[in-house]
Structure formats: C-alpha cells, structure tokens
C-alpha cells in the first residue's frame, strides 16, 4: 500500500503543474473514423469519448481510453457482451451469477471496483437507458453492485459494433450523472456490405451448447449517408457444475417410492443446478444517417432485443434425512441431519366450529391423539403434490427498446450542432414454475406471475461547439449544451399468492377436550407467505415513480503549445427529487517529446438515486447461515424500512484524481501507465439484515409479508468507498514472416476500500462486516491480459492469456463468526490466482469465407473448490456442500464452466 501511495504521489505531482493551467476534455465528437498508418502499423483509432475534437487517438488523449475493435468483440463466442468485455478490459469485472434470483437475468458489472450504476453506457455518444432490475440479491454475487441499477449491455449484438471506447476516468462533468468510474461508448457500424456469422460451441463437459446466428448489412446513401442493420439470434444451453444434494441422494435411497419424483435426478442432473442458466433470444440494431443539406444530416439509431432465461432455484427437501456423514474441517467425521423444508410441515385445515365460544373464529382444530381422541381436525401435506420435494424454476424475460433521432451539422465557420431525442425502455417480466405458496395450503398455485418491472427514459440533448483562434497552437474549442431527462420506474401487480400471506400463514391450534369444548393446544403453526423462492409485487408497492432532471454544461479545450493540451468542463444539474449539483473536471496532456507524454486529470461527480432505488420492494428466499429464510428488501419511503431506521437517499458524490505517462519509444510500440484515486461519499447500497421477531410483527403487521424469523434490509447511503489503482496498457505492432503481428499487454491493479460506515440509531453499523469484506475482496486486485494476433496469408491466429489474482468471499465460504465488538471482517477462504488461455485459428477461403476453430479456457481451468469448514461442511454422499456447491456460487472472476470449444463460419461481402 505504501508503495502504491508513493507511486501515485509522483504521478500526481508530475501532473499538478499541467493541471494548474488546464482542464478537461469537454464532451465528445459525434463522428469518427478508423485509420491505420501503413508505415508503422500503428492503429490510429479516433477517440470520440472525452473530447469534441476529432483529431485525438488513444495515445493522444488526456484521459486513459481503451479502443476495442469490432474484430476483437466478434471474435468471442460469448452470447453476452459482458463476458466479452470482461476478457478484454482488465479493470472490468462481472460474475457468472449462478443461482442469484433476478441478478442472474441482468448481471451487474463493475469498472475500477465501482458499481454498475457508476458506469455510464452510451451508444454513439448518447446515453443508454438503465435496466429495469435493481440488484438486491443478498449473496456475494452482486457485492460490488449491491443495490445498483445500471444499463444492461447484454442487449447489444456484438456484430453491430464498430468499436467500443472505454473511458477509464470520471466524466460526470461531461456527460451527467453516473460516470463516476468511467464511460463505455459503443460506436455502431456505418460501413457497407454484408457480413454473416454462425457460431456453434459447447463446454468440455459436453453441456452449455451455444448457438449464435448473426448478420449485418450496410448500404451507403448519398455522399455521407448510410443505413446499417444488424441482427442476432442466440441460444445458450444449461451447464451444471455442482452435485446433487446429499439429502436428495439419501431420500432416493431410503424412500424409493418417491425417487422418481425428485427433481432432475431422472435426467441425470443434480436436484438444483449450479451453472449457466439456459436462455435464448434475439437482438436487433439499426444505425442510419441521411444528408439533408451542406454538412448536415439527420440520424437514427435503434435497438430491440428479447431474451428469456430459466433458472434453477434451491431444492426443497420433503423428508428430513438424519445422520449424514460430513467433513466439517475438524479432521474428525461427524454427522448432520438436513431438515425438511418448512413447506412440508402439516397444515391444519379444519377451522373451529362456527359460533363456538371455546374455539374462536380464526382457530383450527388439532388432529386426534391418544390424549385428545375427540379431535376431529385434518391436515394437508404438500408431499401430496411434491413427494420428492421440489426445485422452483425462476423465469425472467427481458425486453429492450431504445432509439435516438437527431439532427447535426457544421457551418463554414466551424460551428457544430447536434440536437437529439432519445427514448429507452427496459422491462423484466418475472415468473416461476414448480413452486408453491405454502400459506395458501391446498389452494396453492404451483406457478406464479410476479409482475413486471419497467424502466423507461426520455432524453433531449443539445450539443454545440465553436472553434476560436486565440493565438495558441490550435483554436480553443468551446463547447456547451443542455440535457433534459425524465426517468419512469413502474412495477405491476403480481398474482395474489405470489406476494400475500394466506389463511394458513399463522394458525392457532385448539384441542377438543369434551364434546363441543375446546382449549388452546399451545401450538402456533406457521407457513411462509408469498411464493416459495420469490415474492411478487403487491398492490401496496406497485405503481409508477418518476424523476426529472435538466442540466447545462460548458467546456473549452485547446493546444496552448504544440506540447501542451489543456481543457476545462463544468456542469450544473437539477433534480426534482433532491435539488441541484455542480461538478467540474480538468485535465491536461504534456508532450515532453514525440516519445514521452505526461497526462493528468482531476474532477468530481455524482450519481443520483434512481426511481428504482427509491421504490424497489422485493421478497426473496435466501439461505443465510445455512438456514432458508424470507428476505425482504424495501425502499426508504416504506413503513418497514423506516421501522428499522431508514432515512431518505442522497446522491453519491465523488472526487477523482488521475495521472499517467504515455510512451511511444519506437514505431508500432506504445505504453500507457495511469494511476487513479476515486473517493465516493454516501455510496448507495443495502443495509445489513434485521431479523423479524414476533414483537416486530405485533408492532408493524406489514412485516407478516416477510414472516417470523425472516430478515429485512433497505436502501441506504450506508458508507463511503475509496478506489485506488494502477492500469498499464502496452501495444506492439510489427511484421513476422511477412504477416502483421499485434501484441497487447494490459494490467490492472485495484484496491477498493469501504470506509466511514454509517451507524444505525442503536449504534450498530448499517453495512455488515461480511458485505464490507466482500467489497474489498470479491474481485481480484490484480488482473492481466496478454494477447497476440498474427495474420499470415489466409490464416489468422489469436492467443490470449487472462491472469486473475486471488480473491475471497465471506458471505458463503468458511465464514467464522466475528468476535463481539470486532471491527474487522471474519476470515474466509482465499481462492487462488488462475491463468486462463484462449486460442483460435482462422482460415479464409474463396476470398469471402472464413472458418474459425477455437477454445476459450483452453486448459480447462476452474476456481478452487470450496473447502470444508464448520459453517460449510462437505457431505460424504455428494462431495459437496449441503446445497450441492463444489465451486463458488458467483463463479468468481471467470466462471465455473471450464473449457469451451467452438467453430465459427463468417461470410463477408
């Protein structure tokens, strides 16, 4: 840590003098081109993110920018761009998310350790809308984005992308809220011709079959107009990397009569499936521009997509299985007795006789026993429906619609204008099969509709630039503009049984002591409310919430001398929900020589609470400390959240510093090294869990939705966070045996630290020690990507090595309870560093056809297996945890699927 601080201090000191003269690249250019210097082979991709100037490449930018080409993006066989970008940008992290509630359908990434809604996603320089999902899953899978509501780039087809420009720098002053960690700007293809691709692959295990059919067609119109259309269809098969629960194996052996009804076993699969969930869908993209006058165009971009994913949930055991042998890490074998799921407890269905004073309305009659032979009550058992237990299947359907239309141009004086309107809508329709709503007893449904989550946004933009000669080495490019944005978040009502507590949620039982005479039996039978596994949207939490904002920005950028580029940007925004904010940014690039430059940046930013974060309410079933409990997450405005001390959400505020060097010591060779410090105050997340007691329910009956023994958490500005790191990127382009060879080495170090943890009214920390630990340790601090691309004749080969440093997860594995009063997180299993290798070789024939054979994770590398501990014993029958896990549930930084091989055919005209 001390070494990092010293290096950062040197870089910041080097940049201080330049920053004092400076300031930030204001906004962005709307046009770009990709060119290559033939003599050196150096790629001169024009950077359009972070500047309105159209004469800057990645090595001439005052902020660190990665430019990822279309070839790199389409070379990946992944059906989701998240996985592609993860393999190309070391500071970009996204977990696999196996059984993670709705976070399996919309996975939340992070950049530089910061959350999904602290990354701004843009399409051709226009803001891409958020997804409808607010990530509230309480496992470690979403630790870096817990409580976030970011954009879902999985809706974008890779074949539609011209290039991806990743601005690894705070940019709120330029683009508005959310750009705290950086910006992903997808430039959409505008070329002509026809491009068709088909991909087929599967894992080394023989599952996870992936099929992709994609096409792109472009046509030039007039002098600079065009129309370009892309389409993709995909189908992703299921993978399974766990084992059947030992309890299910025992159940099949000891109760052969129910074996055939145990989920999945007859298909040779575990009763609950840890791996990639099966999905399918399509993605469409349109990009078009038409000349309407001298140097002016109207343009349109549009995106439509649909996907459906079917996820395995946790298995519910129907009969307790005693005496199973376990390894609890002590070295001495022990036994455990997994209990039946609470849904299989007897439900008393005989109500008290009408008008009987000793057995009041709302009570239920006990069954006959030796002590009370007059009891005439009967019971219902869900084993009559699911004799072998059940594994709910959670289904998510994502629909995305996005469109921008605009008018832009340039006058003879150099004045540019860009007027645009953007609309985005993302919906997530949630449902479940193979489940039950226990508190409704015999009337329970087995499938449920949970309602829809819908996020929509309307944006108006006006952007202008004007160059002014002022005697410097280049004109001062003044910029300014305005933005109006309205967000709308909607939740529709689910089925009654999906969220409600039925008549058997809490039962007071009576014994018949004499004919017509009853007495309390001293028994209160309970059943969990809502559907088993997830809770639908109730009328109390359904509805529409909105947030409107408008803002103005100004900026200026110039080359003061041939050696020094400086700039400034400032932005003012006003929100109808919390008021106004002002942010600014300054940066500079100083060229000491053609081979050596210094760059630095300083700024501040903000992330406004979204309507989704202010209004999300979800009840899920989770396993905490090995026990299955109902978990309710509530907005700060709800009575439940306020009962446990919640307050109104405030905006996150950030300050960021960066400094780096740019080296170009030889033709075709470049190296950039950048350090950064990002401090965020009032980070929006989710509080620790509060256990619901009988006294709590009596004081606030609404807590019955969660139920006795369940837990409650809520959105909060619970802590601050500091993200510090170093990023280095080296590129070398040369010729080998008459063919071009491109070598890239990209390294990222990130140290993420939560701090200033807020306290509740009772003096406890709002954010648990386990969450704090995972924020620090879930993503590896060290990442390195090394790649080589070589083309010789009709053959092209790609080789990439991805190194992932060690990481850890305190919420699940080897968790030891902290000493009372401890201020550090408990110890946890450390998962070791791994290196994965990807390789492919392509052959182009008949000029237009290319066949590719490849493998991702060529050597079939997996994360470390979970070790036995008192909290997580390994069962002898399964060789896995109680829930069948062998590998970490989040998949870690690269997933648990192992090696994947594929074939791709491409046709290009």
């Amino acid at each position: 840590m001390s070494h990092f601080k010293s290096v950062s201090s040197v870089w910041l000191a080097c940049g201080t003098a330049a920053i004092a003269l400076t300031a930030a690249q204001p906004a962005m250019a709307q046009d770009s081109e990709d060119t290559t210097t033939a003599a050196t082979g150096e790629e001169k991709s024009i950077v359009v993110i972070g500047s309105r100037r159209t004469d800057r490449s990645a090595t001439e930018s005052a902020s660190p920018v990665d430019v990822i080409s279309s070839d790199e993006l389409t070379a990946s066989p992944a059906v989701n761009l998240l996985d592609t970008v993860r393999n190309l940008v070391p500071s970009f992290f996204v977990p696999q998310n196996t059984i993670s509630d709705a976070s399996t359908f919309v996975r939340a990434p992070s950049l530089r350790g910061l959350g999904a809604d602290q990354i701004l996603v843009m399409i051709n320089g226009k803001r891409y809308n958020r997804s409808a999902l607010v990530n509230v899953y309480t496992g470690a899978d979403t630790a870096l984005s817990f409580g976030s509501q970011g954009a879902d780039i999985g809706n974008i087809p890779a074949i539609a992308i011209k290039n991806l420009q990743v601005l690894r720098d705070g940019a709120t002053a330029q683009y508005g809220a959310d750009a705290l960690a950086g910006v992903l700007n997808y430039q959409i293809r505008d070329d002509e011709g026809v491009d068709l691709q088909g991909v087929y692959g599967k894992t080394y295990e023989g599952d996870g079959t992936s099929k992709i059919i994609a096409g792109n067609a472009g046509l030039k119109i007039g002098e600079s107009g065009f129309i370009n259309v892309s389409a993709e269809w995909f189908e992703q098969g299921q993978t399974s990397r766990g084992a059947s629960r030992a309890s299910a194996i025992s159940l099949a052996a000891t109760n052969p009569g129910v074996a055939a009804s145990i989920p999945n076993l007859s298909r040779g699969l575990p009763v609950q499936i840890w791996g990639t969930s099966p999905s399918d869908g399509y993605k469409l993209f349109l990009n078009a521009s038409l000349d309407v006058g001298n140097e002016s165009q109207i343009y349109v971009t549009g995106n439509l997509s649909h996907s459906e994913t079917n996820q395995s949930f946790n298995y519910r055991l129907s009969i307790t299985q005693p005496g199973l042998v376990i390894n609890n890490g002590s070295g001495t074998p022990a036994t455990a007795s997994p209990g039946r799921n609470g849904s299989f407890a007897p439900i008393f269905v005989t109500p008290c006789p009408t008008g009987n004073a000793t057995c009041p309305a709302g009570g239920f009659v006990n069954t006959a026993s030796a002590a009370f032979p007059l009891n005439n009550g009967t019971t219902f058992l869900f084993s009559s429906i699911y004799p072998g237990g059940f594994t709910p299947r959670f289904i998510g359907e994502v629909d995305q619609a996005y469109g921008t239309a605009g008018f832009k141009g340039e006058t003879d004086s150099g004045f540019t204008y860009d007027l645009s309107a953007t609309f985005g809508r993302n919906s997530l329709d949630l449902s479940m099969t193979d489940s039950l709503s226990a508190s409704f007893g015999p009337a329970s449904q087995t499938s449920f509709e949970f309602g829809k989550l819908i996020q929509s946004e309307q944006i108006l933009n006006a952007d202008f630039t004007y160059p002014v000669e002022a005697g410097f080495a280049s004109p001062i490019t003044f910029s300014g503009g305005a933005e109006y944005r309205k967000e709308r978040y909607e939740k529709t009502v689910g089925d009654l049984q999906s969220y409600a507590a039925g008549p058997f949620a809490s039962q007071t039982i009576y014994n018949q002591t004499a004919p017509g005479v009853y007495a309390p039996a001293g028994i209160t039978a309970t059943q969990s409310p809502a559907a088993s596994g997830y809770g639908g949207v109730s009328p109390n939490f359904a509805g529409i919430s909105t947030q409107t904002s408008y803002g103005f920005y100004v900026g200026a950028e110039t080359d003061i001398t041939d050696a020094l580029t400086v700039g400034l940007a400032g932005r003012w925004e006003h929100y109808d929900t919390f008021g106004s904010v002002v942010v600014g940014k300054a940066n500079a690039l100083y060229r000491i020589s053609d081979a050596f430059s210094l760059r630095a940046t300083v700024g501040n930013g903000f992330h406004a609470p979204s309507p989704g974060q202010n209004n999300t309410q979800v009840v899920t079933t989770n396993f905490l400390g090995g026990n299955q409990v109902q978990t309710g997450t509530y907005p700060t405005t709800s009575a439940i959240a306020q009962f446990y001390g919640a307050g109104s959400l405030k905006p996150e505020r950030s300050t960021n510093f960066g400094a780096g060097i740019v080296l170009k010591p030889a033709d075709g060779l470049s190296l950039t090294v950048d350090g950064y410090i990002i401090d965020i105050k009032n980070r929006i997340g989710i509080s620790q869990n509060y256990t619901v007691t009988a006294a709590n329910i009596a004081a606030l009956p609404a807590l019955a939705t969660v139920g006795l023994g369940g837990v409650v958490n809520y959105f909060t500005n619970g802590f601050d966070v500091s993200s510090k790191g170093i990023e280095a990127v080296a590129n070398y382009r040369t010729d080998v045996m008459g063919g071009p060879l491109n070598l890239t080495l990209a390294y990222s170090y990130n140290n993420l630290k939560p701090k200033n943890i807020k306290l509740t009214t009772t003096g406890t920390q709002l954010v648990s020690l386990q969450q704090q630990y995972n924020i620090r340790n879930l993503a590896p601090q060290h990442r390195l990507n090394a790649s080589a691309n070589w083309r010789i004749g009709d053959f092209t080969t790609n080789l990439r090595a991805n190194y992932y440093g060690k990481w850890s997860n305190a919420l699940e594995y080897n968790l030891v309870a902290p000493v009372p009063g401890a201020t550090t997180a408990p110890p946890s299993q450390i998962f070791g560093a791994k290196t994965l290798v990807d390789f492919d070789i392509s052959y182009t024939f008949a000029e237009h056809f290319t066949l590719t054979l490849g493998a991702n994770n060529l050597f079939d590398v997996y994360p470390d297996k979970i070790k036995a501990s008192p909290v997580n014993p390994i069962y002898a029958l399964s060789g896995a945890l109680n829930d069948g896990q062998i590998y970490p549930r989040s998949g870690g930084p690269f997933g648990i699927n192992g090696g994947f091989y594929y074939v791709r055919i491409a046709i290009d005209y």
Side-chain angles (χ1 to χ4, degrees), residues 220-232:
K220 290 294 183 181
I221 302 174
E223 189 171 316
S224 61
F226 65 91
I227 182 170
N228 190 281
V229 179
S230 303
E232 177 186 303

Side-chain angles (χ1 to χ4, degrees), residues 644-665:
Y644 289 100
S648 299
L649 291 181
K650 299 179 290 187
E652 300 172 347
R653 302 299 298 262
S654 71
T655 56
N656 59 281
F657 304 90
I661 61 173
V662 180
L663 296 174
K664 294 185 285 186

Side-chain angles (χ1 to χ4, degrees), residues 802-821:
N802 296 311
Y803 170 81
Y804 302 87
K806 63 183 180 180
W807 60 283
S808 188
N809 177 352
L811 281 177
E812 302 287 344
Y813 315 113
N814 289 6
L815 175 61
V816 178
V819 176

Side-chain angles (χ1 to χ4, degrees), residues 139-152:
D141 309 40
T142 56
L144 299 180
S145 293
F146 196 26
S148 71
Q149 186 184 9
D152 181 11

Side-chain angles (χ1 to χ4, degrees), residues 473-493:
S474 72
I476 301 175
T477 301
F478 288 101
S479 60
E483 179 178 87
Y484 166 86
R485 182 155 52 101
K486 182 174 183 178
E487 294 189 60
R488 182 179 185 270
Y489 187 71
E490 180 179 0
K491 297 173 292 184
T492 66
V493 177

